Amino acid sequence: MAGRGIGRALLGSGLLAVTVLGGAGGYGIGLVTSAASEVAGRAVPLGSVPTTGPSSPTTPTDTPSAPVKPPKTPTPDKTEPLRADDLSYQTREFDAESVVRSRVTVKVPRNWWMTQPDPKREARFTDPTAKRWVRIEAGFSLTRPPAASMAARIEVLKTQVPTDQALTILSQKIDASARTATLTYTYIPAGTTTLRYVLVRWAALDGSGNVAVEVSSTGLPQDKAALLDVLDHATDSVTRTDSPL
């Protein structure tokens, strides 16, 4: 994709040996450093997976399956759809820190505000209604191609999301020329009956072909065209430049 690029990927043996895992309660690393990190990312429905750490499972199949519960019935959210034609974009910059410090630049909607967890493994840009957002994650080691990262995420979603959250995987797309993989699904978050529409894209930015950023765009089902526009703007423009922590 034109405009995408990566700076120095600091992947020496010392850095590769360090994998900092976040909890499932609001943030996670880039989901490309190890199978264990696959259960940590924000694109997995919050509250549906265990906290990761040194004693956590190292593969999705090592983790107990989610409880079987009757699926919830979604209640329609009648908020006016987000429209791509109403969005204007600007380039924003932030640092993401995990194995390395990544300086990230990316185009996001102009009036969406930025938040970061502690530690700062990602940035999230949220719209004024707080019903849509885009999340960009970096700072992790470049170890796995987009298709493999998507396959691992699907396995986690299928085995770890409680059945009452009505997870439905809508599509899986691999674009070899763009070096991306894109997963689309819907689910009902815990504690609500509102259906969420989620797109997650893993993008390689250099010649290694391995994932350098994970971008997810989330909102309501009626927002899907605009959410794809947000995702495309982010992945077409994103850059990552690394330095030691």
Side-chain angles (χ1 to χ4, degrees):
M1 287 184 175
R4 292 196 288 132
I6 186 168
R8 291 161 290 133
L10 302 177
L11 302 179
S13 59
L15 291 175
L16 283 172
V18 180
T19 304
V20 183
L21 298 181
Y27 61 87
I29 67 169
L31 310 180
V32 297
T33 53
S34 69
S37 69
E38 286 293 337
V39 298
R42 186 188 295 274
V44 175
L46 297 181
S48 66
V49 292
T51 300
T52 55
S55 61
S56 301
T58 56
T59 65
T61 54
D62 291 334
T63 309
S65 297
V68 176
K69 302 176 182 178
K72 293 185 286 187
T73 300
T75 301
D77 186 314
K78 297 182 180 180
T79 301
E80 283 294 314
L82 184 67
R83 301 187 186 280
D85 290 345
D86 294 335
L87 297 173
S88 62
Y89 292 84
Q90 69 177 29
T91 299
R92 304 286 294 274
E93 185 175 81
F94 65 91
D95 287 341
E97 300 176 357
S98 181
V99 177
V100 296
R101 179 179 293 108
S102 296
R103 173 58 57 90
V104 177
T105 66
V106 62
K107 286 185 178 180
V108 297
R110 187 175 301 275
N111 64 335
W112 292 19
W113 78 86
M114 186 181 84
T115 55
Q116 286 190 278
D118 183 14
K120 301 184 296 183
R121 298 188 177 98
E122 64 183 40
R124 171 169 151 167
F125 299 87
T126 305
D127 91 316
T129 71
K131 294 183 178 183
R132 301 100 172 184
W133 57 85
V134 60
R135 179 188 61 84
I136 303 96
E137 196 165 345
F140 46 81
S141 301
L142 281 65
T143 60
R144 189 159 62 192
S149 293
M150 181 172 67
R153 175 64 59 80
I154 290 169
E155 180 66 20
V156 170
L157 288 170
K158 287 182 175 180
T159 58
Q160 299 308 306
V161 176
T163 53
D164 66 334
Q165 293 190 16
L167 171 71
T168 303
I169 293 176
L170 302 176
S171 69
Q172 308 167 44
K173 296 181 179 179
I174 299 170
D175 188 333
S177 62
R179 298 176 298 174
T180 64
T182 305
L183 173 66
T184 307
Y185 64 90
T186 58
Y187 79 104
I188 302 173
T192 77
T193 56
T194 301
L195 192 68
R196 287 287 177 184
Y197 186 91
V198 183
L199 298 112
V200 189
R201 180 170 290 165
W202 295 266
L205 303 182
D206 69 355
S208 73
N210 292 325
V211 174
V213 293
E214 178 187 302
V215 182
S216 63
S217 183
T218 302
L220 304 170
Q222 61 264 37
D223 301 328
K224 61 182 180 180
L227 293 173
L228 180 59
D229 190 70
V230 171
L231 188 74
D232 286 343
H233 271 81
T235 50
D236 285 349
S237 64
V238 68
T239 69
R240 167 180 162 172
T241 303
D242 291 346
S243 60
L245 291 174

